[in-house]
């Protein structure tokens, strides 16, 4: 099995310690406002998040469900052929996970209602070793993660709903990452649109980090640290899921800033990992 | 971006049945299958006995193994729309597996399924047009080769293609009063393309199975795609 699991452990450990932060380019940070996010961790009942002048209502959470079934296999791969040759028992397991939540966000003047849904499907090849020590060994074959949100700005003007889509698709058969610190090759992207305007959402994977005392460092591999929101060719916001920060470009109107804050908060409240591993 | 952007014109319909032991027929939109008949031979697969496979084994570890197997799935079904017969579909799928493993040699293409035959052919007779038969030909639907899983549906000059792929698709049918109809998910589907545009898709997996049709799709194309989508759902996996 690839060392993906170890990379995820390193990321999770680093994130839980929050000893390092995402290094935001100075060119952007000079013209943007950094807003640390409160209310993401800790007591999850009546959870509310806030950053800058934005505050959410109580997050209304739906069921976060996970189910595992033996479903139709997506095809035969090399591992499966080899296991058959050596008569080793195997199973094709499909794990489905779904999560829903909704809330509203307010900047002091305008409110937007946000409905979110995330869904993940992972197909795994499970090898039955019949050993108490080894147990069953799972190998990810493919995964499809999607996050979708609908944003309803409560304004008289420009009240068209915004649709947010974020996806991450992984297929082991197409993965060319082979070295120890290589992250899996995935097709990922996203956008938010109201039919007239489009904001591109780009997942960020960076090597440059900043420690708590301000020192800059370079990680041996790229780590998923958040999302970059772009309008046309310019970055308008950065969502730092690692250090729990939102950066919004200053020179924007309140309505656009609210949409960006809505996207940022919906992304920060995701519960299902889109790392695909 | 290699995943096509979300097509809001494709409307989803839940597809139920088939995997339910009490409900073998499929229903979706206002379509329903009936009279699914499979030949007895579809439930068996046949392997070849090989002396080399038996001899070239050391302590249970095969030095050489040639795996030859053949299986078929022959079935027919009728498709109704609002209790009126729409089409009769007859299908024959075959898989001939011929894979060779050599422990002390680099594995060649025969190990990766290059010698396998994985074909599905079907005929669809629409009740409204009995003079013309739609032909379906698909390859690698069991995924036994390192190739795309795809097929073509033809009737004279008309052609619809389908391929297994990942698409971003609407989760709920359009409803101006329900904001959740804006939600979309990534799904492994067979996407149907007609005149270079995706006009329909059907889930590959059984869990939460759905079918998506483009709004204002002409009746004949919709009926043909509904028949092929049912066929792709009802077919059995033949690779063992």
């Amino acid at each position: 099995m690839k060392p993906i699991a170890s990379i995820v452990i390193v990321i999770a450990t680093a994130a839980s310690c929050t000893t390092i932060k995402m290094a935001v380019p100075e060119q952007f940070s000079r013209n943007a406002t950094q807003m640390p996010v409160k209310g993401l961790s800790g007591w999850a009942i009546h959870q509310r998040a806030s950053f800058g002048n934005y505050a959410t209502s109580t997050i209304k959470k739906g069921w976060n469900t996970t189910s595992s079934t033996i479903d139709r296999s997506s095809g035969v791969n090399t591992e499966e052929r080899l296991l058959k040759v050596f008569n080793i028992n195997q199973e094709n397991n499909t794990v489905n996970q779904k999560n829903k939540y909704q809330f509203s966000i307010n900047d002091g003047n305008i409110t937007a209602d946000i409905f979110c849904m995330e869904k993940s499907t992972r197909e795994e090849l499970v090898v039955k070793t019949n050993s108490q020590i080894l147990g069953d060994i799972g190998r990810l074959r493919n995964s499809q993660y999607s996050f979708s949100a609908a944003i309803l700005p409560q304004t008289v003007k420009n009240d068209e709903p915004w649709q947010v889509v974020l996806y991450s698709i992984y297929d082991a058969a197409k993965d060319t990452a082979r070295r120890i610190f290589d992250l899996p090759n995935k097709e990922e992207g996203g956008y938010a649109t109201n039919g007239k305007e489009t904001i591109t959402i780009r997942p960020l994977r960076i090597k440059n980090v900043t420690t708590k005392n301000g020192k800059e460092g370079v990680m041996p591999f790229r780590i998923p640290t958040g999302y970059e929101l772009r309008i046309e060719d310019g970055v308008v916001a950065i969502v730092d899921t690692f250090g729990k920060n939102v950066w919004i470009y200053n020179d924007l109107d309140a309505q656009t800033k609210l949409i960006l804050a809505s996207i940022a908060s919906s992304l920060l409240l995701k519960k299902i990992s889109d790392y695909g591993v | 971006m290699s995943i096509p952007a979300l097509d809001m014109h494709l409307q989803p319909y839940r597809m139920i049945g088939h995997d339910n032991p009490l409900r073998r027929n499929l229903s979706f939109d206002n379509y329903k299958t009936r009279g699914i008949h499979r030949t007895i031979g579809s439930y068996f697969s046949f392997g070849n006995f090989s002396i080399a496979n038996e001899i070239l084994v050391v302590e249970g570890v095969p030095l050489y193994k040639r795996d030859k197997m053949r299986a078929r799935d022959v079935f027919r079904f009728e498709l109704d729309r609002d209790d009126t017969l729409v089409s009769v579909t007859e299908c024959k799928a075959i898989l001939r597996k011929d894979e060779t493993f050599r422990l002390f040699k680099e594995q060649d293409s025969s190990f990766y399924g290059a010698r396998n035959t994985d074909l599905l052919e079907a005929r669809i007779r629409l009740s409204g047009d009995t003079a013309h038969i739609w032909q379906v030909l698909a390859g690698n639907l069991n995924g036994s080769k390192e190739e795309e899983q795809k097929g073509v549906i033809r009737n004279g000059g008309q052609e619809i293609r389908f391929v297994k792929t990942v698409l971003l698709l609407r989760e709920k049918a359009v409803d101006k009063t329900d904001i959740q109809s804006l939600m979309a998910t990534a799904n492994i589907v067979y996407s149907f393309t007609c005149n270079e545009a995706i006009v329909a898709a059907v889930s590959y997996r059984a869990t939460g199975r759905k079918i998506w049709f483009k709004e204002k799709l002409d009746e004949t194309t919709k009926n043909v795609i509904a028949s092929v989508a049912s066929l792709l759902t009802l077919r059995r996996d033949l690779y063992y």
Side-chain angles (χ1 to χ4, degrees):
Chain A
M1 201 162 117
K2 284 176 52 173
I4 296 163
S6 59
I7 294 171
V8 170
I9 290 165
V10 170
I11 293 165
T13 312
S16 63
C17 298
T18 59
T19 51
I20 52 171
K21 287 178 184 174
M22 179 166 75
V24 175
E26 205 195 319
Q27 199 185 353
F28 176 77
S29 64
R30 237 191 353 248
N31 300 308
T33 307
Q34 180 187 6
M35 293 175 277
V37 186
K38 292 173 196 159
L40 289 179
S41 51
W43 202 239
I45 298 170
H46 301 302
Q47 186 185 12
R48 285 164 184 263
S50 61
F51 51 94
N53 56 332
Y54 301 97
T56 71
S57 64
T58 303
I59 315 296
K60 194 177 163 189
K61 292 170 188 170
W63 291 102
N64 185 344
T65 56
T66 306
S67 62
S68 179
T69 52
I70 297 171
D71 212 315
R72 179 170 271 177
S73 161
S74 60
V76 191
N77 61 6
T78 308
E79 285 99 335
E80 209 172 330
R81 287 179 212 277
L82 277 173
L83 292 166
K84 276 184 203 291
V85 167
F86 291 97
N87 289 324
I88 297 168
N89 286 336
Q90 54 180 297
E91 212 170 64
N92 211 67
N93 211 12
T94 304
V95 182
N96 295 291
Q97 200 175 354
K98 210 170 181 180
N99 183 35
K100 277 184 182 179
Y101 51 96
Q102 65 182 73
F103 59 96
S104 54
I105 191 164
N106 188 291
D107 68 351
N109 294 316
I110 326 167
T111 303
D113 293 328
I114 304 155
F115 302 83
C116 309
M117 183 181 75
E118 43 181 346
K119 189 180 167 191
S120 155
T121 306
R122 289 182 296 133
E123 186 183 336
E124 296 168 338
L125 179 72
V126 179
V127 182
K128 307 272 180 189
T129 61
N130 295 329
S131 157
Q132 282 191 337
I133 300 163
L134 293 172
D136 293 346
I137 299 168
R139 166 86 156 90
L140 182 71
R141 296 189 61 181
N142 59 63
S143 73
Q144 300 83 45
Y145 170 85
S146 48
F147 167 82
S148 189
I151 301 168
L152 276 176
Q154 302 295 322
T155 52
V156 182
K157 211 167 74 172
N158 300 330
D159 63 341
E160 293 96 348
W162 281 75
Q163 181 188 43
V164 184
V165 176
L166 183 76
Y167 64 87
S168 170
I169 316 289
Y170 173 73
D171 187 350
K174 293 175 186 166
D175 192 4
T176 50
R178 294 284 178 267
R179 290 175 303 175
I180 187 157
F181 286 128
D182 284 351
L183 276 176
N185 284 338
K186 295 190 294 179
E187 288 175 34
E188 53 188 4
Y191 61 88
T193 182
N194 65 351
K196 293 173 189 163
E197 295 165 84
T198 301
I199 300 168
T200 309
I201 306 170
R202 202 166 69 93
L204 288 176
R205 298 186 191 286
I206 58 166
K207 275 185 162 186
N208 297 340
V209 290
T210 314
T211 58
K212 254 187 175 175
N213 48 20
K215 281 186 183 171
E216 288 203 358
V218 179
M219 297 287 279
F221 48 83
R222 290 184 183 276
I223 50 171
T225 47
Y227 304 90
E228 181 186 86
L229 312 185
R230 283 173 168 262
I231 293 179
E232 290 171 358
D233 282 339
V235 179
V236 286
I238 290 175
V239 184
D240 175 8
T241 54
F242 211 69
K244 311 274 189 279
N245 276 300
V246 174
W247 300 73
I248 294 182
Y249 193 68
N250 294 331
D251 195 14
L252 293 168
D253 61 88
Q255 174 100 20
T256 310
K257 281 185 179 177
L258 182 73
I259 297 299
L260 295 172
S262 304
I263 299 168
S265 52
S266 64
L267 292 172
L268 284 161
L269 288 161
K270 285 194 311 115
K271 288 279 176 248
I272 304 174
S273 162
D274 57 346
Y275 302 145
V277 287
Chain B
M1 189 169 78
S2 57
I3 305 283
L6 171 65
D7 189 339
M8 297 299 281
H9 297 292
L10 291 175
Q11 299 305 318
Y13 300 91
R14 234 179 115 212
M15 208 175 196
I16 53 171
H18 183 49
D19 297 311
N20 184 342
L22 300 173
R23 190 177 182 152
R24 304 304 296 174
N25 280 305
L26 289 170
S27 0
F28 53 94
D29 193 4
N30 41 4
Y31 290 97
K32 195 175 180 182
T33 65
R34 66 177 160 91
I36 303 168
H37 293 292
R38 258 196 169 89
T39 60
I40 294 170
S42 303
Y43 296 96
F44 301 96
S45 63
F46 304 92
N48 283 19
F49 176 76
S50 162
I51 294 172
N53 286 356
E54 300 301 316
I55 294 170
L56 298 168
V57 180
V58 178
E59 297 285 333
V61 177
L63 307 176
Y64 168 93
K65 193 169 184 178
R66 187 166 186 190
D67 190 0
K68 286 185 85 174
M69 184 274 283
R70 60 190 196 280
R72 60 167 56 198
D73 187 21
V74 181
F75 63 98
R76 73 186 295 280
F77 64 90
E78 284 148 21
L79 186 71
D80 286 355
R81 188 178 187 183
D82 298 323
D83 295 323
T84 310
L85 183 72
V86 162
S87 69
V88 177
T89 306
E90 293 164 341
C91 173
K92 184 172 117 180
I94 55 160
L95 177 78
R96 289 197 196 98
K97 183 163 87 167
D98 185 358
E99 295 173 5
T100 310
F101 168 79
R102 296 171 187 87
L103 185 64
F104 295 112
K105 274 190 175 179
E106 197 178 329
Q107 305 308 319
D108 61 16
S109 60
S110 68
F111 174 71
Y112 298 99
R115 285 190 198 154
N116 292 351
T117 306
D118 188 349
L119 278 175
L120 178 143
E121 49 185 332
R123 297 188 324 154
I124 300 165
R125 202 174 64 240
L126 295 179
S127 60
D129 181 14
T130 47
H132 298 101
I133 305 277
W134 286 77
Q135 305 278 350
V136 184
L137 187 66
N140 197 32
L141 293 187
N142 294 285
S144 70
K145 296 179 179 190
E146 290 181 343
E147 291 172 7
E148 272 193 317
Q149 300 181 33
K150 60 183 180 181
V152 62
I153 312 158
R154 271 203 194 111
N155 174 21
Q158 287 176 278
E159 188 176 279
I160 303 164
R161 293 186 170 269
F162 61 91
V163 64
K164 189 187 132 206
T165 185
V166 179
L167 287 184
L168 278 170
L169 292 161
R170 201 193 267 274
E171 186 71 5
K172 277 189 171 182
V174 66
D175 180 353
K176 282 186 178 171
T177 60
D178 185 3
I179 190 73
Q180 295 198 32
S181 63
L182 283 173
M183 304 290 188
T185 53
N187 299 271
I188 295 190
V189 292
Y190 289 111
S191 74
F192 295 85
T193 308
C194 188
N195 298 328
E196 307 297 322
I198 295 174
V199 291
V202 62
S203 297
Y204 181 81
R205 293 197 175 107
T207 313
R209 182 174 279 141
K210 286 190 184 76
I211 185 163
W212 291 261
F213 285 118
K214 196 166 191 108
E215 291 166 340
K216 295 170 190 166
L217 192 61
D218 74 85
E219 287 300 294
T220 307
T221 310
K222 192 172 181 181
N223 290 342
V224 170
I225 290 174
S227 305
V228 178
S230 306
L231 179 158
L232 293 169
T233 307
L234 293 170
R235 74 173 184 89
R236 291 172 59 243
D237 282 328
L238 299 176
Y239 190 95
Y240 304 109

